[in-house]
């Protein structure tokens, strides 16, 4: 399976190119959208070529999701911890965006490690609430400010749910798809996903289950959030899954799980369409090669003309 990268490749390339050409006064103004409708804007002006503004726009959080000023719980603290004092958070952010960071290349050494962290801004912001919950799990505690059932936004107007406990955290995803074909493929994919978890090589991975109806852990969640045409996927995270360097990987995999499934569903659909087209083309070639000749010859070298349907009816009438 192909895993999504935690950093934006286009953003990283843009930052590296600018850092390698600081002696040139250039103007940049790039805007683009990546998966889950996360929008980016990078701007450098001729007036201040050493200043770079990075703005990020997140999808509008639904009412049940925990957010503050359009950002997930703990996002500002996570940014300060990850990037230190080399970045300035603009308050308020630029119009139409959830967050704007200002980077001054004259004060910050733009090495590749730092720029890769900056290109992973989506992971830092969207994964902030998960990190808070899982850090408490690693210490066998529960954050006192959290409810029994925590809703976290991961797609436009969609959330997944966590049930934090001192010894484990249950994570439940309502899986929704707009296209009927995607729904069928996703349901099959998720069932196989659960079966693959039972392999001996994956016995240390988080336990995984699929159900066509909402699991008991989601009791009390708003009814409108529990509509899922591809069922519900549930993971159980234990302290061993978030120890040390495993924390960042677990946070990223969970925060992008729906995008991961969507990617492989679309990839499978495209692969099947390609196979179907190739199959049709091979059948057409076989039919073209099987067309009979207009005339055939017998063993005695006599020529016979192949009769059409109308010729055969005319002969019978005589």
């Amino acid at each position: 399976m192909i895993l999504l990268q935690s950093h934006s490749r286009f953003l990283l390339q843009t930052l590296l190119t600018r850092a390698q050409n600081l002696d040139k006064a250039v103007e940049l103004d790039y805007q683009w959208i990546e998966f889950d409708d996360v929008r980016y804007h990078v701007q450098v002006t001729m007036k201040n070529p050493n200043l770079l503004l990075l703005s990020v726009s997140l999808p509008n959080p639904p009412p049940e999701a925990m957010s503050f000023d359009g950002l997930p719980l703990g996002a500002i603290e996570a940014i300060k911890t990850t990037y230190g004092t080399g970045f300035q958070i603009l308050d308020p952010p630029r119009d139409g965006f959830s967050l704007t960071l200002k980077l001054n290349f004259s004060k910050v050494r733009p090495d590749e490690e730092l720029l890769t962290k900056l290109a992973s801004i989506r992971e830092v912001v969207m994964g902030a609430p998960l990190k808070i919950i899982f850090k408490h799990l690693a210490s066998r505690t529960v954050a006192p400010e959290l409810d029994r059932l925590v809703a976290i936004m991961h797609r436009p107007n969609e959330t997944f749910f966590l049930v934090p406990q001192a010894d484990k955290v249950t994570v439940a995803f309502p899986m929704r798809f707009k296209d009927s074909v995607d729904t069928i493929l996703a349901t099959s994919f998720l069932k196989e996903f659960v079966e693959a978890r039972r392999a001996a090589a994956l016995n240390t991975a988080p336990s995984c289950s699929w159900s066509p109806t909402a699991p008991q852990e989601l009791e009390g969640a708003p009814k409108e959030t529990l509509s899922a045409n591809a069922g519900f996927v549930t993971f159980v995270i234990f302290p061993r899954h978030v120890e040390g360097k495993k924390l960042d990987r677990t946070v990223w995999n969970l925060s992008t799980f729906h995008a991961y499934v969507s990617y492989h569903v679309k990839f499978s659909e495209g692969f099947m369409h390609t196979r179907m087209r190739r199959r049709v083309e091979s059948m057409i070639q076989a039919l073209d090669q099987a067309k009979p000749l207009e005339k055939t010859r017998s063993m005695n070298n006599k020529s016979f003309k192949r009769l059409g349907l109308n010729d055969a009816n005319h002969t019978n009438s005589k």
Side-chain angles (χ1 to χ4, degrees):
M1 294 294 181
I2 299 175
L3 296 176
L4 300 173
Q5 293 179 328
S6 60
H7 63 269
S8 166
R9 295 183 63 182
F10 183 75
L11 177 55
L12 178 59
Q13 186 60 47
T14 301
L15 295 173
L16 288 173
T17 302
R18 183 67 199 114
Q20 294 167 2
N21 297 276
L22 290 177
D23 56 329
K24 300 178 181 179
V26 297
E27 187 173 18
L28 298 179
D29 194 351
Y30 296 153
Q31 292 196 51
W32 71 98
I33 298 177
E34 296 191 357
F35 63 90
D36 290 342
D37 282 2
V38 177
R39 183 162 58 97
Y40 298 86
H41 183 203
V42 173
Q43 187 176 38
V44 177
T45 63
M46 294 291 290
K47 183 178 179 181
N48 296 304
N50 284 327
L51 294 181
L52 182 143
L53 295 180
L54 170 60
S55 300
V56 181
S57 176
L58 305 178
N60 293 327
E64 70 275 6
M66 298 181 63
S67 64
F68 300 90
D69 296 328
L71 292 175
L73 172 68
I76 298 298
E77 291 75 12
I79 292 172
K80 294 178 179 179
T81 302
T82 304
Y83 303 124
T85 59
F87 297 82
Q88 180 182 351
I89 303 175
L90 298 188
D91 187 19
R94 305 195 67 177
D95 290 342
F97 291 90
S98 310
L99 173 72
T100 299
L101 297 180
K102 182 168 72 173
L103 170 61
N104 192 336
F105 283 110
S106 62
K107 297 181 180 180
V108 178
R109 181 185 176 186
D111 56 26
E112 186 171 351
E113 181 181 357
L114 177 63
L115 297 182
T116 302
K117 286 184 179 181
L118 184 56
S120 303
I121 185 68
R122 183 197 187 281
E123 176 188 17
V124 175
V125 174
M126 300 287 283
L130 284 173
K131 277 197 173 182
I132 293 175
I133 294 174
F134 289 148
K135 284 181 178 179
H136 279 275
L137 174 63
S139 60
R140 271 68 170 184
T141 60
V142 178
E145 68 272 15
L146 297 179
D147 297 330
R148 184 197 68 84
L149 185 64
V150 180
I152 298 179
M153 177 194 67
H154 65 127
R155 304 181 71 237
N157 297 317
E158 291 190 17
T159 54
F160 64 99
F161 298 91
L162 288 87
V163 182
Q165 296 175 280
D167 58 341
K168 66 179 180 180
V169 173
T170 303
V171 187
F173 289 87
M175 303 300 292
R176 307 180 185 92
F177 295 88
K178 295 180 180 179
D179 187 81
S180 58
V181 176
D182 290 354
T183 303
I184 295 172
L185 291 176
T187 302
S188 177
F189 177 86
L190 293 171
K191 290 179 180 179
E192 291 297 325
F193 193 85
V194 173
E195 290 297 323
R197 164 60 182 81
R198 299 176 181 175
L202 299 176
N203 56 6
T204 59
S207 62
C208 176
S209 61
W210 177 88
S211 172
T213 58
Q216 293 181 353
E217 289 82 0
L218 297 187
E219 183 180 355
K223 292 184 179 180
E224 60 272 14
T225 65
L226 300 181
S227 60
N229 53 13
F232 295 80
V233 179
T234 303
F235 296 96
V236 180
I237 310 298
F238 293 101
R240 68 175 184 272
H241 298 131
V242 293
E243 294 174 347
K245 295 182 179 180
K246 295 179 182 179
L247 175 62
D248 289 338
R249 183 178 179 182
T250 300
V251 167
W252 176 250
N253 289 341
L254 289 175
S255 62
T256 59
F257 177 71
H258 197 289
Y260 165 83
V261 174
S262 298
Y263 174 86
H264 284 283
V265 165
K266 290 297 185 183
F267 189 89
S268 300
E269 188 176 352
F271 177 75
M272 287 189 291
H273 287 172
T274 301
R275 291 292 302 270
M276 290 169 63
R277 286 193 293 269
R278 289 179 180 175
R279 181 62 176 167
V280 170
E281 290 173 358
S282 65
M283 293 176 65
I284 292 175
Q285 291 178 357
L287 290 174
D288 289 340
Q289 295 174 359
K291 287 183 179 179
L293 299 174
E294 288 295 326
K295 292 184 179 182
T296 58
R297 293 184 175 275
S298 67
M299 293 292 294
N300 296 326
N301 211 26
K302 293 182 179 182
S303 177
F304 295 88
K305 182 179 180 181
R306 184 168 65 88
L307 297 178
L309 182 60
N310 294 333
D311 296 331
N313 293 337
H314 180 69
T315 303
N316 293 334
S317 63
K318 294 181 178 181

